[in-house]
Amino acid sequence: MSSPDLLQRSLAAVWHPCTQMKQHEALPLVAITRGEGPWLHDADGRRLLDGISSWWVNLFGHCNPRINAALRDQLERLEHVMLAGFTHEPVVALSERLAALTGHRLGHAFYASDGASATEIALKMSAHYWRNLGRPEKSRFVSLAGSYHGETVGALAVTDVAIFRDAYAPLVRAGSIVPTPDARLAEPGESAADVARRAAAQLEVHLADHHHETAALIVEPLVQGAAGMVMYDEEYLRLARALCDRYEVLLIADEIAVGCGRTGSFFACAQAGIWPDFICLSKGISGGYLPLSLVLTTDHIYAAFYDDATVRGFLHSHSYTGNPLACRAALATLDIFEQDDVLNANRQRADKLGKALQARFGDHPAVRHLRQRGMIAAFDIDTPERGFSGRFFSAALDHGVLLRPIGNTIYFMPPYVLDDALIAHLVDGAGAALDEVLA
C-alpha cells in the first residue's frame, strides 16, 4: 500500500485524536510502517528519531526484543480474564512490585486503561473515601494553573488548559485553580524555590478557606506537561504535602507523564522526599506497548472501603482492568529498569543531552528558558508568527526527527536508549529545523 493510498484511507475512515481534521488538508498525516529501537520508519522511506517517545509512552525503543518475548510468552498462557471475582499472576506480580517501589507506603493498586481513567479513579476514590468517613461535603478538588490531567469529563474538572476544557464547560463540575509554581515566574532575585514557596502560600490561603469542602489536591509532580513543560522546584511538593496533612486534604500525584523514571527517579515525588495518598501511572508503565493505567493508594484509604456493605466498596470498573498482556508488558518494563540499572544510566544520558542542548541553543537569540528535569528538556521560542508549531514539526521530520512542539515550546522526551550519536542527531535535527523555520 503506497503512502498516498494509506493517507486517503485514514482521512476517510479515522477520526484522529486532538486534531482539527481539516488541518490535514495542508499538513499531511505521516504514515508509519514499522518501528525499531528509537526509530520510526514512514511509508515514504524516511527514518525518524522518536524524540517524544510517541506521546511520552515509549521508554526502551520500538519493538523491544525483551518486551516482545514476554508478550509472546503471555499470549500462549492467558490473553484476558475479567478482574472482578478473578485474578492472575501478571496483575498480582505487578501490584506487588509497584508497592515495593513505594516502600510499601502505597500497597494497593487499582487498574484501568489510560491516564484520564486513572485520574477519574483517583478523584472518585478520594471523594468516596471522605463519604465513607461520614464527611460527604468534602467532594471538591484543587489543581494548579495550567494543569492537565486528562480529557474525560471528571478529569476536565481539574484540567486548566482552555482548548481542552472550554467546549465542554457545561458538562464539567469545575474545581478550584491555585497558582502554579512555574520557575519561569521568578521575579528578579528570586530562585525557583522562592517561586515554589510563594505558590504554596497561595495554596494555603485557599485551603484555609475551603478545606472543609475539599477532597483532594491533584498535581503533576515537578513538570506540568501539556502546559508547555512547566518545571518547578521540589520544595512545592514538600509544602503541599504538609498543607494537605494540616488541612485534611488528600494529595494525588499525577505521575502519568512524569513517572517511570522520566524526571530522574522512578516516582517524581521521591525527589521531594514525600509520598502522596494516590499515585496515578500510565504511559511508560507498559513500555509504550499496550493501554494500561493504575492508581496506587495506601492501606489506610483501602481500609475505609473494606466493609460488609457493598455500597461502601469502590464500585468502579473497566472491562479490560488488569489485562494480563498489558501487565506482562509492564513487568518486562520493570525488569529492564532493574537489569540495566536504567535510573543511573539515565542520569548520565540526561547530562549529555543537557550539555548538547546548551551548546546548540544556549545562546540562540530566539530561545528562552532552556530547562531540563531528567529525561525531559524544553525551551520556548520567542516568535510572533502564528503556526510555528506545525511548521517546526514538518521541518523536523525533514531533518529526521519527530518533535511535536506545544505552542511555541519545543520539548524533548526521548526513549531511554539514546547514545552519543543519537543525541547528536536529535539536537542537530532540531537545530536545523529551527533555523529553517525562523529564517
PDB file of all heavy atoms in Angstrom, residues 60 66-67 70 97 327-337:
ATOM      1  N   PHE A  60      11.824   2.181  26.042  1.00  0.00           N
ATOM      2  CA  PHE A  60      13.005   1.393  25.686  1.00  0.00           C
ATOM      3  C   PHE A  60      13.058   1.024  24.212  1.00  0.00           C
ATOM      4  O   PHE A  60      13.634   0.014  23.833  1.00  0.00           O
ATOM      5  CB  PHE A  60      13.059   0.129  26.560  1.00  0.00           C
ATOM      6  CG  PHE A  60      13.166   0.452  28.023  1.00  0.00           C
ATOM      7  CD1 PHE A  60      12.170   0.071  28.909  1.00  0.00           C
ATOM      8  CD2 PHE A  60      14.235   1.170  28.522  1.00  0.00           C
ATOM      9  CE1 PHE A  60      12.254   0.374  30.256  1.00  0.00           C
ATOM     10  CE2 PHE A  60      14.331   1.490  29.869  1.00  0.00           C
ATOM     11  CZ  PHE A  60      13.348   1.093  30.741  1.00  0.00           C
ATOM     12  N   ARG A  66      13.010  -7.722  24.458  1.00  0.00           N
ATOM     13  CA  ARG A  66      12.666  -8.324  25.740  1.00  0.00           C
ATOM     14  C   ARG A  66      11.171  -8.197  26.039  1.00  0.00           C
ATOM     15  O   ARG A  66      10.547  -9.131  26.551  1.00  0.00           O
ATOM     16  CB  ARG A  66      13.505  -7.702  26.853  1.00  0.00           C
ATOM     17  CG  ARG A  66      14.935  -8.233  26.845  1.00  0.00           C
ATOM     18  CD  ARG A  66      15.741  -7.669  27.999  1.00  0.00           C
ATOM     19  NE  ARG A  66      16.303  -6.373  27.677  1.00  0.00           N
ATOM     20  CZ  ARG A  66      17.089  -5.673  28.503  1.00  0.00           C
ATOM     21  NH1 ARG A  66      17.376  -6.152  29.709  1.00  0.00           N
ATOM     22  NH2 ARG A  66      17.575  -4.511  28.139  1.00  0.00           N
ATOM     23  N   ILE A  67      10.589  -7.056  25.711  1.00  0.00           N
ATOM     24  CA  ILE A  67       9.150  -6.905  25.915  1.00  0.00           C
ATOM     25  C   ILE A  67       8.392  -7.778  24.920  1.00  0.00           C
ATOM     26  O   ILE A  67       7.387  -8.415  25.262  1.00  0.00           O
ATOM     27  CB  ILE A  67       8.733  -5.429  25.810  1.00  0.00           C
ATOM     28  CG1 ILE A  67       9.499  -4.579  26.836  1.00  0.00           C
ATOM     29  CG2 ILE A  67       7.227  -5.278  26.033  1.00  0.00           C
ATOM     30  CD1 ILE A  67       9.227  -3.090  26.759  1.00  0.00           C
ATOM     31  N   ALA A  70       8.330 -11.338  26.246  1.00  0.00           N
ATOM     32  CA  ALA A  70       7.390 -11.506  27.359  1.00  0.00           C
ATOM     33  C   ALA A  70       5.960 -11.584  26.854  1.00  0.00           C
ATOM     34  O   ALA A  70       5.152 -12.399  27.345  1.00  0.00           O
ATOM     35  CB  ALA A  70       7.551 -10.351  28.346  1.00  0.00           C
ATOM     36  N   ARG A  97       5.197  -5.560  42.872  1.00  0.00           N
ATOM     37  CA  ARG A  97       6.453  -4.857  42.552  1.00  0.00           C
ATOM     38  C   ARG A  97       6.295  -3.348  42.644  1.00  0.00           C
ATOM     39  O   ARG A  97       7.215  -2.648  43.093  1.00  0.00           O
ATOM     40  CB  ARG A  97       6.936  -5.281  41.167  1.00  0.00           C
ATOM     41  CG  ARG A  97       7.437  -6.724  41.157  1.00  0.00           C
ATOM     42  CD  ARG A  97       7.889  -7.176  39.804  1.00  0.00           C
ATOM     43  NE  ARG A  97       9.108  -6.493  39.369  1.00  0.00           N
ATOM     44  CZ  ARG A  97       9.771  -6.830  38.248  1.00  0.00           C
ATOM     45  NH1 ARG A  97       9.321  -7.828  37.490  1.00  0.00           N
ATOM     46  NH2 ARG A  97      10.863  -6.177  37.903  1.00  0.00           N
ATOM     47  N   CYS A 327      -0.230  -6.072  31.671  1.00  0.00           N
ATOM     48  CA  CYS A 327       0.533  -6.231  32.914  1.00  0.00           C
ATOM     49  C   CYS A 327       1.858  -6.933  32.662  1.00  0.00           C
ATOM     50  O   CYS A 327       2.883  -6.597  33.274  1.00  0.00           O
ATOM     51  CB  CYS A 327      -0.288  -7.001  33.943  1.00  0.00           C
ATOM     52  SG  CYS A 327      -1.678  -6.079  34.616  1.00  0.00           S
ATOM     53  N   ARG A 328       1.855  -7.907  31.743  1.00  0.00           N
ATOM     54  CA  ARG A 328       3.110  -8.596  31.433  1.00  0.00           C
ATOM     55  C   ARG A 328       4.090  -7.661  30.743  1.00  0.00           C
ATOM     56  O   ARG A 328       5.302  -7.713  30.979  1.00  0.00           O
ATOM     57  CB  ARG A 328       2.809  -9.813  30.556  1.00  0.00           C
ATOM     58  CG  ARG A 328       3.994 -10.746  30.358  1.00  0.00           C
ATOM     59  CD  ARG A 328       4.403 -11.477  31.632  1.00  0.00           C
ATOM     60  NE  ARG A 328       5.632 -12.229  31.426  1.00  0.00           N
ATOM     61  CZ  ARG A 328       5.693 -13.450  30.893  1.00  0.00           C
ATOM     62  NH1 ARG A 328       4.562 -14.068  30.523  1.00  0.00           N
ATOM     63  NH2 ARG A 328       6.849 -14.053  30.737  1.00  0.00           N
ATOM     64  N   ALA A 329       3.599  -6.784  29.880  1.00  0.00           N
ATOM     65  CA  ALA A 329       4.473  -5.776  29.278  1.00  0.00           C
ATOM     66  C   ALA A 329       5.059  -4.872  30.356  1.00  0.00           C
ATOM     67  O   ALA A 329       6.246  -4.501  30.296  1.00  0.00           O
ATOM     68  CB  ALA A 329       3.696  -4.952  28.244  1.00  0.00           C
ATOM     69  N   ALA A 330       4.241  -4.502  31.339  1.00  0.00           N
ATOM     70  CA  ALA A 330       4.731  -3.662  32.433  1.00  0.00           C
ATOM     71  C   ALA A 330       5.782  -4.390  33.262  1.00  0.00           C
ATOM     72  O   ALA A 330       6.785  -3.797  33.689  1.00  0.00           O
ATOM     73  CB  ALA A 330       3.564  -3.221  33.312  1.00  0.00           C
ATOM     74  N   LEU A 331       5.583  -5.669  33.510  1.00  0.00           N
ATOM     75  CA  LEU A 331       6.575  -6.442  34.258  1.00  0.00           C
ATOM     76  C   LEU A 331       7.894  -6.522  33.488  1.00  0.00           C
ATOM     77  O   LEU A 331       8.975  -6.407  34.085  1.00  0.00           O
ATOM     78  CB  LEU A 331       6.032  -7.848  34.541  1.00  0.00           C
ATOM     79  CG  LEU A 331       4.939  -7.920  35.604  1.00  0.00           C
ATOM     80  CD1 LEU A 331       4.244  -9.279  35.559  1.00  0.00           C
ATOM     81  CD2 LEU A 331       5.505  -7.652  36.993  1.00  0.00           C
ATOM     82  N   ALA A 332       7.818  -6.708  32.179  1.00  0.00           N
ATOM     83  CA  ALA A 332       9.039  -6.715  31.369  1.00  0.00           C
ATOM     84  C   ALA A 332       9.723  -5.356  31.405  1.00  0.00           C
ATOM     85  O   ALA A 332      10.966  -5.268  31.427  1.00  0.00           O
ATOM     86  CB  ALA A 332       8.703  -7.115  29.927  1.00  0.00           C
ATOM     87  N   THR A 333       8.925  -4.292  31.426  1.00  0.00           N
ATOM     88  CA  THR A 333       9.475  -2.939  31.541  1.00  0.00           C
ATOM     89  C   THR A 333      10.216  -2.770  32.861  1.00  0.00           C
ATOM     90  O   THR A 333      11.340  -2.230  32.908  1.00  0.00           O
ATOM     91  CB  THR A 333       8.341  -1.911  31.409  1.00  0.00           C
ATOM     92  OG1 THR A 333       7.749  -2.026  30.113  1.00  0.00           O
ATOM     93  CG2 THR A 333       8.852  -0.494  31.602  1.00  0.00           C
ATOM     94  N   LEU A 334       9.620  -3.226  33.964  1.00  0.00           N
ATOM     95  CA  LEU A 334      10.292  -3.136  35.264  1.00  0.00           C
ATOM     96  C   LEU A 334      11.548  -4.001  35.295  1.00  0.00           C
ATOM     97  O   LEU A 334      12.543  -3.632  35.942  1.00  0.00           O
ATOM     98  CB  LEU A 334       9.331  -3.547  36.374  1.00  0.00           C
ATOM     99  CG  LEU A 334       8.122  -2.638  36.606  1.00  0.00           C
ATOM    100  CD1 LEU A 334       7.292  -3.156  37.785  1.00  0.00           C
ATOM    101  CD2 LEU A 334       8.540  -1.197  36.856  1.00  0.00           C
ATOM    102  N   ASP A 335      11.526  -5.142  34.608  1.00  0.00           N
ATOM    103  CA  ASP A 335      12.726  -5.972  34.524  1.00  0.00           C
ATOM    104  C   ASP A 335      13.872  -5.198  33.880  1.00  0.00           C
ATOM    105  O   ASP A 335      15.028  -5.275  34.338  1.00  0.00           O
ATOM    106  CB  ASP A 335      12.445  -7.235  33.701  1.00  0.00           C
ATOM    107  CG  ASP A 335      11.601  -8.256  34.446  1.00  0.00           C
ATOM    108  OD1 ASP A 335      11.498  -8.171  35.692  1.00  0.00           O
ATOM    109  OD2 ASP A 335      11.025  -9.140  33.772  1.00  0.00           O
ATOM    110  N   ILE A 336      13.579  -4.477  32.813  1.00  0.00           N
ATOM    111  CA  ILE A 336      14.625  -3.704  32.133  1.00  0.00           C
ATOM    112  C   ILE A 336      15.175  -2.624  33.065  1.00  0.00           C
ATOM    113  O   ILE A 336      16.396  -2.395  33.119  1.00  0.00           O
ATOM    114  CB  ILE A 336      14.087  -3.101  30.823  1.00  0.00           C
ATOM    115  CG1 ILE A 336      13.727  -4.218  29.836  1.00  0.00           C
ATOM    116  CG2 ILE A 336      15.119  -2.164  30.198  1.00  0.00           C
ATOM    117  CD1 ILE A 336      13.016  -3.746  28.583  1.00  0.00           C
ATOM    118  N   PHE A 337      14.303  -1.952  33.798  1.00  0.00           N
ATOM    119  CA  PHE A 337      14.779  -0.962  34.769  1.00  0.00           C
ATOM    120  C   PHE A 337      15.800  -1.584  35.721  1.00  0.00           C
ATOM    121  O   PHE A 337      16.848  -0.991  35.996  1.00  0.00           O
ATOM    122  CB  PHE A 337      13.600  -0.399  35.576  1.00  0.00           C
ATOM    123  CG  PHE A 337      12.973   0.825  34.994  1.00  0.00           C
ATOM    124  CD1 PHE A 337      11.791   0.743  34.276  1.00  0.00           C
ATOM    125  CD2 PHE A 337      13.554   2.075  35.164  1.00  0.00           C
ATOM    126  CE1 PHE A 337      11.206   1.876  33.733  1.00  0.00           C
ATOM    127  CE2 PHE A 337      12.980   3.218  34.633  1.00  0.00           C
ATOM    128  CZ  PHE A 337      11.792   3.115  33.904  1.00  0.00           C
TER     129      PHE A 337
END
